[in-house]
Amino acid sequence: MLELTNISKTYVNGSIVTTALDNVSFKIHQGEFVSIVGPSGSGKSTLMHILGALDIPTSGSYSINGTNTEKMKDDQLAEIRNKEIGFIFQAYNLLPRTSALKNVMLPMAYAGVSKTKREQRAKELLEAVGLGDKLTNTPNQLSGGQKQRVAIARALAMNPTLLLADEPTGNLPTNQSVEIMDIFQQLNNEGHTVVVITHEEAIAARTKRMITLVDGKIISDEDLI
Amino acid sequence: MKLQELVGESLTVLKVNKMRTGLSILGIIIGIGSVIALMTLGEASQQSVKQRIEALGSNLLVIRPGSSSSGFLRGGGGDVSTLKLADAQAIADSNRINTVENVAAEYTSAVQAAYGKNNTRVTVAGVTPNYFSIRNIELTLGRSISQSDIDLLTKVAVISPTTAEELFGQTTRYLGQTIKLDGNTFTIVGVTEATGSTGRSSGSETVYVPLSTAQRILFGVSHISSIYVQARNEDVMAAAHNQIGYLLLERHKLKTPADADFSITSQADLLETVTEVTETFTMLLTGIAAISLIVGGIGIMNIMLITVTERTREIGIRKALGAKKKTIILQFLIESIILTVMGGIMGVGLGLGVSVLLTHLMSLPTIIAYNSIMLAVVVACCIGLVFGWYPAQKAAKLQPIEALRYE
C-alpha cells in the first residue's frame, strides 16, 4: 500500500548537485513495522519527507494507498498528509500554549470534523496513551515522554494509513524511549502500519523489518523476525 | 476549519501578546480617532456657523462701499466713502423698489471708551433706530436708539454686556451712568443681550450710538459703513438685489454693474462661502488624519510580518498536519483584521470622546455622524485586509519542511 518506484531526489545549489536519494524502490504493506536506518547524510530525512508527502521526488513515483502523489499540488499534498499520514517528530512539534486536547484535535479540525466528535475522539486517544488526566495541560507542562505521547495521539487522530516517526526517541531518556517504543509495538499489534526512522540500533531492533540506507541507496532490506 | 474557530484561535494568540497587541493597534486607534474627531468637529462648526448666519436673517442684504470685483465677494473695502445715508433712505423710499421691508444704516469705527479709570477699545456703531430689529439684536435692559435721538444728536449709548463688564466690572447698575468715547460723554440707556447665541458674531465689545451723533460729533464724516436691507421674504432676495443694485448705480451715476462702487451680499452668499471654507478645512484635516491611518496600517503589517517569522515552526506544524494554504491565509488575515477592527472600535470611542469634549468646550453643537462610525469600522477592516495580506501570503507560501526545520 506504500509503493516507492525509482525514487530519486537531487538538490541543486548553484553548480553543485547533491543526490540525496538515488533510485530507491521498495514497498511497505498494511500492518508492517519498519525501521529505516542509516548514518547522518544517508538520505533518511529526505526519504521521510517523501514518505510523509512533505516533499516530492525529483523523479520516480510514490503512491500511498493506490494514490499517486506525483504532480500533486500543495493543497492536495496537504490533504494526503491530513488523511493518510500521522507524523511523530523528534522535537514533538506540538503547538505551544495550546492544551494537549486541542493539539490532538487540530488535524481533525483541518479535516472538517465536527467539534463534539473531535473532542470526544481526542479524549479517547489521550486516554489510550495514558494521558487522560493531562487533557488541559500545555506542552510546557508535560515531560518529553508525555509530549511524545500527545504527538502519537495526534498522529492517530485521523486514523491514517501510515504512522511515520522521525527519530521519535531522539530527545528522550532511555526509560521514556522504551515506553514510546512499547506504544508503537502495541499500535502495530493492533494493525497500524508503523515506519520509524532512526539511527539507533536498539530502536531499530524492536521493529520487524529494517531498511538500511547509505549514500542515498538501499544497501540492505531485511526481516528481523 | 470553521471561521468562528479561527477567530477564537486568533483571539487566544492576541491575548498572549497583550503588550504587543496593544501597541500595534495604537496606531489604528489614533488614526481612526482623529478622523472621527475631525469629521465631527468639522460638521459641528459648520452647523454652528450656519445657525449663526441664519439667526441673522436669511432675508438680509448687506450693502457695503467698495468695488465688487468678482461676483458677490467684496474686492475693495477699507474706508471708502461712497455710501451715504441718503442711499439708504432712497432704498427705503423709492417707488421702484417693492421688495424691501426695512432699511438700516450703520457707521462703525473703533475708539477708546473710558469709565473712571477703566478704559477699553470698543467698536462704536452709529446706527438708525430699526437697526436692532433688522439685525435681530435684543435688548435686556433699557431702551434702544430712537428717531428722536437721531434728530437731536443725543449722546446716548446702548452697550453690549462684554463692554459693560470691561468698563463697570461686576456691577450691573450702569443704566444712566456716563462713559467717555474719545472725550465725549455718553449716557448709557440700554444693554444688548449677550452675543454668541444670536446677533452680531464679530465685535462683542460694541457701543451703539445714534448714527447722526457718530457721524457729526464723534467722527466728523458724512458717509456710512453699511446698509442693512431686510427683504420682504427669502423668495424676493434676487429681485431685491437687482432693484437695489440698479438704484444705487443710477444714484452714483455709474453705467454698468462692473463699475459699482458698492457691493451687495446676502446671508445666503455668506453662508455658501463659509460652508465651502469649513468643508475644505474639514477635508484637509481629515486627509491628514487619514495619513496617520496608513501609518497605523504599516505598523500592523510590520507586526504581522514579525508574527509570521516567529511562528514559522507553528506554520510548519499546521501544514504537516494538513492545513491548506487557504486556511493559513485566513488565520493570519483574521488576526490582522481583529487587530485593526479592535483598533477601529476603540478609535471610534476615542474620537467620539474627544469630539464631545471639544464641542462642549467650544460650545458647538455636538453632532455625532453615525455614518462616519460605520465608515471607520469598514475602513479599519479594509486596512487589516490590505496590510495583513502580504504577511498572510508569506505564511501560506512557507514550505512545510523548511518551516519545520526552523528553530
Side-chain angles (χ1 to χ4, degrees), chain B residues 327-360:
Chain B
T327 319
I328 302 281
I329 289 179
L330 213 57
Q331 188 187 341
F332 282 90
L333 269 188
I334 285 173
E335 236 176 271
S336 69
I337 290 174
I338 288 177
L339 277 179
T340 53
V341 168
M342 253 168 35
I345 291 169
M346 289 185 215
V348 167
L350 178 78
L352 288 183
V354 167
S355 42
V356 166
L357 195 73
L358 282 183
T359 47
H360 193 72

PDB file of all heavy atoms in Angstrom, chain B residues 327-360:
ATOM      1  N   THR B 327      -6.393  28.020   4.504  1.00  0.00           N
ATOM      2  CA  THR B 327      -6.611  28.051   5.957  1.00  0.00           C
ATOM      3  C   THR B 327      -5.569  28.922   6.639  1.00  0.00           C
ATOM      4  O   THR B 327      -5.887  29.706   7.535  1.00  0.00           O
ATOM      5  CB  THR B 327      -6.526  26.623   6.525  1.00  0.00           C
ATOM      6  OG1 THR B 327      -7.190  25.746   5.626  1.00  0.00           O
ATOM      7  CG2 THR B 327      -7.145  26.545   7.889  1.00  0.00           C
ATOM      8  N   ILE B 328      -4.296  28.789   6.190  1.00  0.00           N
ATOM      9  CA  ILE B 328      -3.215  29.581   6.795  1.00  0.00           C
ATOM     10  C   ILE B 328      -3.434  31.071   6.503  1.00  0.00           C
ATOM     11  O   ILE B 328      -3.344  31.912   7.401  1.00  0.00           O
ATOM     12  CB  ILE B 328      -1.841  29.131   6.251  1.00  0.00           C
ATOM     13  CG1 ILE B 328      -1.604  27.647   6.525  1.00  0.00           C
ATOM     14  CG2 ILE B 328      -0.726  30.004   6.810  1.00  0.00           C
ATOM     15  CD1 ILE B 328      -1.181  27.306   7.919  1.00  0.00           C
ATOM     16  N   ILE B 329      -3.761  31.360   5.237  1.00  0.00           N
ATOM     17  CA  ILE B 329      -4.003  32.761   4.861  1.00  0.00           C
ATOM     18  C   ILE B 329      -5.112  33.333   5.732  1.00  0.00           C
ATOM     19  O   ILE B 329      -4.990  34.406   6.329  1.00  0.00           O
ATOM     20  CB  ILE B 329      -4.390  32.885   3.371  1.00  0.00           C
ATOM     21  CG1 ILE B 329      -3.177  32.610   2.490  1.00  0.00           C
ATOM     22  CG2 ILE B 329      -4.949  34.278   3.067  1.00  0.00           C
ATOM     23  CD1 ILE B 329      -3.445  32.681   1.012  1.00  0.00           C
ATOM     24  N   LEU B 330      -6.196  32.575   5.825  1.00  0.00           N
ATOM     25  CA  LEU B 330      -7.358  33.029   6.584  1.00  0.00           C
ATOM     26  C   LEU B 330      -6.984  33.292   8.044  1.00  0.00           C
ATOM     27  O   LEU B 330      -7.365  34.306   8.617  1.00  0.00           O
ATOM     28  CB  LEU B 330      -8.453  31.953   6.501  1.00  0.00           C
ATOM     29  CG  LEU B 330      -9.882  32.443   6.508  1.00  0.00           C
ATOM     30  CD1 LEU B 330     -10.101  33.425   5.369  1.00  0.00           C
ATOM     31  CD2 LEU B 330     -10.839  31.270   6.385  1.00  0.00           C
ATOM     32  N   GLN B 331      -6.174  32.357   8.593  1.00  0.00           N
ATOM     33  CA  GLN B 331      -5.798  32.506  10.002  1.00  0.00           C
ATOM     34  C   GLN B 331      -5.077  33.825  10.254  1.00  0.00           C
ATOM     35  O   GLN B 331      -5.406  34.553  11.185  1.00  0.00           O
ATOM     36  CB  GLN B 331      -4.916  31.334  10.404  1.00  0.00           C
ATOM     37  CG  GLN B 331      -4.654  31.323  11.903  1.00  0.00           C
ATOM     38  CD  GLN B 331      -3.633  30.271  12.290  1.00  0.00           C
ATOM     39  OE1 GLN B 331      -3.368  29.334  11.546  1.00  0.00           O
ATOM     40  NE2 GLN B 331      -3.067  30.463  13.466  1.00  0.00           N
ATOM     41  N   PHE B 332      -4.112  34.143   9.384  1.00  0.00           N
ATOM     42  CA  PHE B 332      -3.328  35.363   9.618  1.00  0.00           C
ATOM     43  C   PHE B 332      -4.112  36.622   9.245  1.00  0.00           C
ATOM     44  O   PHE B 332      -3.973  37.656   9.897  1.00  0.00           O
ATOM     45  CB  PHE B 332      -1.983  35.284   8.894  1.00  0.00           C
ATOM     46  CG  PHE B 332      -1.007  34.415   9.626  1.00  0.00           C
ATOM     47  CD1 PHE B 332      -0.935  33.054   9.367  1.00  0.00           C
ATOM     48  CD2 PHE B 332      -0.204  34.947  10.609  1.00  0.00           C
ATOM     49  CE1 PHE B 332      -0.065  32.247  10.068  1.00  0.00           C
ATOM     50  CE2 PHE B 332       0.669  34.146  11.324  1.00  0.00           C
ATOM     51  CZ  PHE B 332       0.742  32.786  11.048  1.00  0.00           C
ATOM     52  N   LEU B 333      -4.944  36.503   8.216  1.00  0.00           N
ATOM     53  CA  LEU B 333      -5.782  37.651   7.857  1.00  0.00           C
ATOM     54  C   LEU B 333      -6.742  37.983   8.988  1.00  0.00           C
ATOM     55  O   LEU B 333      -6.924  39.150   9.349  1.00  0.00           O
ATOM     56  CB  LEU B 333      -6.594  37.348   6.603  1.00  0.00           C
ATOM     57  CG  LEU B 333      -5.960  37.737   5.273  1.00  0.00           C
ATOM     58  CD1 LEU B 333      -6.966  37.547   4.159  1.00  0.00           C
ATOM     59  CD2 LEU B 333      -5.472  39.173   5.300  1.00  0.00           C
ATOM     60  N   ILE B 334      -7.352  36.945   9.539  1.00  0.00           N
ATOM     61  CA  ILE B 334      -8.302  37.171  10.635  1.00  0.00           C
ATOM     62  C   ILE B 334      -7.590  37.856  11.793  1.00  0.00           C
ATOM     63  O   ILE B 334      -8.125  38.788  12.394  1.00  0.00           O
ATOM     64  CB  ILE B 334      -8.957  35.847  11.070  1.00  0.00           C
ATOM     65  CG1 ILE B 334      -9.991  35.429  10.020  1.00  0.00           C
ATOM     66  CG2 ILE B 334      -9.617  35.977  12.439  1.00  0.00           C
ATOM     67  CD1 ILE B 334     -10.574  34.075  10.239  1.00  0.00           C
ATOM     68  N   GLU B 335      -6.351  37.409  12.036  1.00  0.00           N
ATOM     69  CA  GLU B 335      -5.610  38.034  13.128  1.00  0.00           C
ATOM     70  C   GLU B 335      -5.414  39.526  12.894  1.00  0.00           C
ATOM     71  O   GLU B 335      -5.635  40.341  13.789  1.00  0.00           O
ATOM     72  CB  GLU B 335      -4.253  37.354  13.275  1.00  0.00           C
ATOM     73  CG  GLU B 335      -4.050  36.823  14.670  1.00  0.00           C
ATOM     74  CD  GLU B 335      -2.744  36.079  14.782  1.00  0.00           C
ATOM     75  OE1 GLU B 335      -2.778  34.860  14.528  1.00  0.00           O
ATOM     76  OE2 GLU B 335      -1.725  36.706  15.098  1.00  0.00           O
ATOM     77  N   SER B 336      -5.017  39.873  11.669  1.00  0.00           N
ATOM     78  CA  SER B 336      -4.761  41.296  11.427  1.00  0.00           C
ATOM     79  C   SER B 336      -6.075  42.087  11.387  1.00  0.00           C
ATOM     80  O   SER B 336      -6.130  43.224  11.832  1.00  0.00           O
ATOM     81  CB  SER B 336      -3.936  41.506  10.163  1.00  0.00           C
ATOM     82  OG  SER B 336      -4.689  41.187   9.036  1.00  0.00           O
ATOM     83  N   ILE B 337      -7.141  41.459  10.881  1.00  0.00           N
ATOM     84  CA  ILE B 337      -8.422  42.169  10.854  1.00  0.00           C
ATOM     85  C   ILE B 337      -8.936  42.389  12.276  1.00  0.00           C
ATOM     86  O   ILE B 337      -9.435  43.472  12.610  1.00  0.00           O
ATOM     87  CB  ILE B 337      -9.455  41.425   9.990  1.00  0.00           C
ATOM     88  CG1 ILE B 337      -9.047  41.535   8.514  1.00  0.00           C
ATOM     89  CG2 ILE B 337     -10.867  41.988  10.176  1.00  0.00           C
ATOM     90  CD1 ILE B 337      -9.893  40.738   7.570  1.00  0.00           C
ATOM     91  N   ILE B 338      -8.759  41.370  13.124  1.00  0.00           N
ATOM     92  CA  ILE B 338      -9.181  41.550  14.522  1.00  0.00           C
ATOM     93  C   ILE B 338      -8.416  42.725  15.131  1.00  0.00           C
ATOM     94  O   ILE B 338      -8.996  43.578  15.809  1.00  0.00           O
ATOM     95  CB  ILE B 338      -8.952  40.267  15.342  1.00  0.00           C
ATOM     96  CG1 ILE B 338      -9.981  39.208  14.936  1.00  0.00           C
ATOM     97  CG2 ILE B 338      -9.059  40.549  16.842  1.00  0.00           C
ATOM     98  CD1 ILE B 338      -9.800  37.884  15.621  1.00  0.00           C
ATOM     99  N   LEU B 339      -7.106  42.765  14.855  1.00  0.00           N
ATOM    100  CA  LEU B 339      -6.293  43.874  15.373  1.00  0.00           C
ATOM    101  C   LEU B 339      -6.858  45.217  14.929  1.00  0.00           C
ATOM    102  O   LEU B 339      -7.094  46.111  15.740  1.00  0.00           O
ATOM    103  CB  LEU B 339      -4.855  43.762  14.863  1.00  0.00           C
ATOM    104  CG  LEU B 339      -3.900  42.840  15.602  1.00  0.00           C
ATOM    105  CD1 LEU B 339      -2.543  42.841  14.926  1.00  0.00           C
ATOM    106  CD2 LEU B 339      -3.750  43.279  17.041  1.00  0.00           C
ATOM    107  N   THR B 340      -7.089  45.349  13.613  1.00  0.00           N
ATOM    108  CA  THR B 340      -7.489  46.667  13.115  1.00  0.00           C
ATOM    109  C   THR B 340      -8.919  47.011  13.516  1.00  0.00           C
ATOM    110  O   THR B 340      -9.217  48.159  13.804  1.00  0.00           O
ATOM    111  CB  THR B 340      -7.342  46.764  11.590  1.00  0.00           C
ATOM    112  OG1 THR B 340      -8.026  45.683  10.987  1.00  0.00           O
ATOM    113  CG2 THR B 340      -5.892  46.733  11.185  1.00  0.00           C
ATOM    114  N   VAL B 341      -9.802  46.005  13.540  1.00  0.00           N
ATOM    115  CA  VAL B 341     -11.192  46.312  13.915  1.00  0.00           C
ATOM    116  C   VAL B 341     -11.260  46.690  15.397  1.00  0.00           C
ATOM    117  O   VAL B 341     -11.953  47.646  15.771  1.00  0.00           O
ATOM    118  CB  VAL B 341     -12.144  45.147  13.577  1.00  0.00           C
ATOM    119  CG1 VAL B 341     -13.501  45.341  14.222  1.00  0.00           C
ATOM    120  CG2 VAL B 341     -12.298  45.027  12.071  1.00  0.00           C
ATOM    121  N   MET B 342     -10.468  45.976  16.214  1.00  0.00           N
ATOM    122  CA  MET B 342     -10.402  46.351  17.626  1.00  0.00           C
ATOM    123  C   MET B 342      -9.924  47.798  17.745  1.00  0.00           C
ATOM    124  O   MET B 342     -10.499  48.602  18.480  1.00  0.00           O
ATOM    125  CB  MET B 342      -9.444  45.430  18.373  1.00  0.00           C
ATOM    126  CG  MET B 342     -10.156  44.468  19.266  1.00  0.00           C
ATOM    127  SD  MET B 342      -9.138  43.119  19.922  1.00  0.00           S
ATOM    128  CE  MET B 342      -7.544  43.794  20.173  1.00  0.00           C
ATOM    129  N   GLY B 343      -8.839  48.089  17.003  1.00  0.00           N
ATOM    130  CA  GLY B 343      -8.319  49.458  16.987  1.00  0.00           C
ATOM    131  C   GLY B 343      -9.364  50.428  16.492  1.00  0.00           C
ATOM    132  O   GLY B 343      -9.506  51.527  17.028  1.00  0.00           O
ATOM    133  N   GLY B 344     -10.110  50.014  15.462  1.00  0.00           N
ATOM    134  CA  GLY B 344     -11.136  50.876  14.882  1.00  0.00           C
ATOM    135  C   GLY B 344     -12.221  51.212  15.892  1.00  0.00           C
ATOM    136  O   GLY B 344     -12.596  52.378  16.050  1.00  0.00           O
ATOM    137  N   ILE B 345     -12.686  50.175  16.614  1.00  0.00           N
ATOM    138  CA  ILE B 345     -13.767  50.404  17.584  1.00  0.00           C
ATOM    139  C   ILE B 345     -13.272  51.317  18.710  1.00  0.00           C
ATOM    140  O   ILE B 345     -13.947  52.272  19.093  1.00  0.00           O
ATOM    141  CB  ILE B 345     -14.303  49.064  18.119  1.00  0.00           C
ATOM    142  CG1 ILE B 345     -15.049  48.344  16.991  1.00  0.00           C
ATOM    143  CG2 ILE B 345     -15.216  49.281  19.318  1.00  0.00           C
ATOM    144  CD1 ILE B 345     -15.406  46.923  17.281  1.00  0.00           C
ATOM    145  N   MET B 346     -12.049  51.032  19.190  1.00  0.00           N
ATOM    146  CA  MET B 346     -11.515  51.887  20.245  1.00  0.00           C
ATOM    147  C   MET B 346     -11.289  53.303  19.717  1.00  0.00           C
ATOM    148  O   MET B 346     -11.492  54.277  20.439  1.00  0.00           O
ATOM    149  CB  MET B 346     -10.199  51.324  20.772  1.00  0.00           C
ATOM    150  CG  MET B 346     -10.392  50.072  21.587  1.00  0.00           C
ATOM    151  SD  MET B 346      -8.810  49.571  22.297  1.00  0.00           S
ATOM    152  CE  MET B 346      -8.948  47.823  22.248  1.00  0.00           C
ATOM    153  N   GLY B 347     -10.853  53.380  18.461  1.00  0.00           N
ATOM    154  CA  GLY B 347     -10.635  54.684  17.841  1.00  0.00           C
ATOM    155  C   GLY B 347     -11.928  55.474  17.751  1.00  0.00           C
ATOM    156  O   GLY B 347     -11.944  56.689  17.991  1.00  0.00           O
ATOM    157  N   VAL B 348     -13.043  54.775  17.410  1.00  0.00           N
ATOM    158  CA  VAL B 348     -14.342  55.453  17.355  1.00  0.00           C
ATOM    159  C   VAL B 348     -14.672  56.012  18.734  1.00  0.00           C
ATOM    160  O   VAL B 348     -15.070  57.170  18.884  1.00  0.00           O
ATOM    161  CB  VAL B 348     -15.445  54.483  16.873  1.00  0.00           C
ATOM    162  CG1 VAL B 348     -16.819  55.075  17.120  1.00  0.00           C
ATOM    163  CG2 VAL B 348     -15.266  54.182  15.393  1.00  0.00           C
ATOM    164  N   GLY B 349     -14.427  55.181  19.760  1.00  0.00           N
ATOM    165  CA  GLY B 349     -14.673  55.626  21.133  1.00  0.00           C
ATOM    166  C   GLY B 349     -13.853  56.867  21.464  1.00  0.00           C
ATOM    167  O   GLY B 349     -14.384  57.867  21.952  1.00  0.00           O
ATOM    168  N   LEU B 350     -12.563  56.780  21.140  1.00  0.00           N
ATOM    169  CA  LEU B 350     -11.665  57.906  21.418  1.00  0.00           C
ATOM    170  C   LEU B 350     -12.115  59.158  20.660  1.00  0.00           C
ATOM    171  O   LEU B 350     -12.231  60.241  21.237  1.00  0.00           O
ATOM    172  CB  LEU B 350     -10.242  57.542  20.992  1.00  0.00           C
ATOM    173  CG  LEU B 350      -9.181  58.633  21.165  1.00  0.00           C
ATOM    174  CD1 LEU B 350      -8.757  58.713  22.616  1.00  0.00           C
ATOM    175  CD2 LEU B 350      -7.983  58.380  20.277  1.00  0.00           C
ATOM    176  N   GLY B 351     -12.394  58.963  19.362  1.00  0.00           N
ATOM    177  CA  GLY B 351     -12.791  60.095  18.519  1.00  0.00           C
ATOM    178  C   GLY B 351     -14.049  60.757  19.040  1.00  0.00           C
ATOM    179  O   GLY B 351     -14.132  61.984  19.127  1.00  0.00           O
ATOM    180  N   LEU B 352     -15.044  59.921  19.413  1.00  0.00           N
ATOM    181  CA  LEU B 352     -16.303  60.489  19.913  1.00  0.00           C
ATOM    182  C   LEU B 352     -16.068  61.211  21.228  1.00  0.00           C
ATOM    183  O   LEU B 352     -16.578  62.310  21.447  1.00  0.00           O
ATOM    184  CB  LEU B 352     -17.345  59.390  20.090  1.00  0.00           C
ATOM    185  CG  LEU B 352     -17.911  58.817  18.795  1.00  0.00           C
ATOM    186  CD1 LEU B 352     -18.990  57.800  19.094  1.00  0.00           C
ATOM    187  CD2 LEU B 352     -18.463  59.925  17.910  1.00  0.00           C
ATOM    188  N   GLY B 353     -15.268  60.577  22.092  1.00  0.00           N
ATOM    189  CA  GLY B 353     -14.952  61.202  23.381  1.00  0.00           C
ATOM    190  C   GLY B 353     -14.327  62.566  23.174  1.00  0.00           C
ATOM    191  O   GLY B 353     -14.772  63.565  23.750  1.00  0.00           O
ATOM    192  N   VAL B 354     -13.314  62.593  22.309  1.00  0.00           N
ATOM    193  CA  VAL B 354     -12.606  63.845  22.059  1.00  0.00           C
ATOM    194  C   VAL B 354     -13.547  64.879  21.455  1.00  0.00           C
ATOM    195  O   VAL B 354     -13.557  66.045  21.870  1.00  0.00           O
ATOM    196  CB  VAL B 354     -11.392  63.608  21.120  1.00  0.00           C
ATOM    197  CG1 VAL B 354     -10.847  64.924  20.596  1.00  0.00           C
ATOM    198  CG2 VAL B 354     -10.304  62.854  21.856  1.00  0.00           C
ATOM    199  N   SER B 355     -14.398  64.447  20.512  1.00  0.00           N
ATOM    200  CA  SER B 355     -15.237  65.459  19.869  1.00  0.00           C
ATOM    201  C   SER B 355     -16.338  65.971  20.798  1.00  0.00           C
ATOM    202  O   SER B 355     -16.671  67.151  20.763  1.00  0.00           O
ATOM    203  CB  SER B 355     -15.812  64.953  18.543  1.00  0.00           C
ATOM    204  OG  SER B 355     -16.249  63.645  18.655  1.00  0.00           O
ATOM    205  N   VAL B 356     -16.872  65.071  21.651  1.00  0.00           N
ATOM    206  CA  VAL B 356     -17.867  65.542  22.621  1.00  0.00           C
ATOM    207  C   VAL B 356     -17.222  66.582  23.545  1.00  0.00           C
ATOM    208  O   VAL B 356     -17.774  67.655  23.794  1.00  0.00           O
ATOM    209  CB  VAL B 356     -18.460  64.369  23.433  1.00  0.00           C
ATOM    210  CG1 VAL B 356     -19.226  64.875  24.649  1.00  0.00           C
ATOM    211  CG2 VAL B 356     -19.376  63.537  22.554  1.00  0.00           C
ATOM    212  N   LEU B 357     -16.008  66.229  24.004  1.00  0.00           N
ATOM    213  CA  LEU B 357     -15.285  67.120  24.913  1.00  0.00           C
ATOM    214  C   LEU B 357     -15.011  68.473  24.236  1.00  0.00           C
ATOM    215  O   LEU B 357     -15.304  69.536  24.799  1.00  0.00           O
ATOM    216  CB  LEU B 357     -13.960  66.466  25.304  1.00  0.00           C
ATOM    217  CG  LEU B 357     -13.240  67.087  26.502  1.00  0.00           C
ATOM    218  CD1 LEU B 357     -13.953  66.726  27.783  1.00  0.00           C
ATOM    219  CD2 LEU B 357     -11.789  66.629  26.544  1.00  0.00           C
ATOM    220  N   LEU B 358     -14.473  68.412  23.023  1.00  0.00           N
ATOM    221  CA  LEU B 358     -14.094  69.646  22.330  1.00  0.00           C
ATOM    222  C   LEU B 358     -15.305  70.502  21.976  1.00  0.00           C
ATOM    223  O   LEU B 358     -15.306  71.712  22.191  1.00  0.00           O
ATOM    224  CB  LEU B 358     -13.291  69.323  21.070  1.00  0.00           C
ATOM    225  CG  LEU B 358     -11.829  68.954  21.316  1.00  0.00           C
ATOM    226  CD1 LEU B 358     -11.116  68.731  20.006  1.00  0.00           C
ATOM    227  CD2 LEU B 358     -11.123  70.056  22.103  1.00  0.00           C
ATOM    228  N   THR B 359     -16.359  69.862  21.437  1.00  0.00           N
ATOM    229  CA  THR B 359     -17.536  70.645  21.067  1.00  0.00           C
ATOM    230  C   THR B 359     -18.141  71.285  22.311  1.00  0.00           C
ATOM    231  O   THR B 359     -18.636  72.400  22.269  1.00  0.00           O
ATOM    232  CB  THR B 359     -18.602  69.792  20.355  1.00  0.00           C
ATOM    233  OG1 THR B 359     -18.795  68.592  21.085  1.00  0.00           O
ATOM    234  CG2 THR B 359     -18.194  69.470  18.938  1.00  0.00           C
ATOM    235  N   HIS B 360     -18.041  70.539  23.435  1.00  0.00           N
ATOM    236  CA  HIS B 360     -18.553  71.087  24.691  1.00  0.00           C
ATOM    237  C   HIS B 360     -17.737  72.315  25.093  1.00  0.00           C
ATOM    238  O   HIS B 360     -18.294  73.355  25.427  1.00  0.00           O
ATOM    239  CB  HIS B 360     -18.486  70.019  25.773  1.00  0.00           C
ATOM    240  CG  HIS B 360     -19.263  70.384  27.007  1.00  0.00           C
ATOM    241  ND1 HIS B 360     -20.639  70.390  27.022  1.00  0.00           N
ATOM    242  CD2 HIS B 360     -18.859  70.780  28.225  1.00  0.00           C
ATOM    243  CE1 HIS B 360     -21.040  70.769  28.218  1.00  0.00           C
ATOM    244  NE2 HIS B 360     -19.984  71.021  28.966  1.00  0.00           N
TER     245      HIS B 360
END
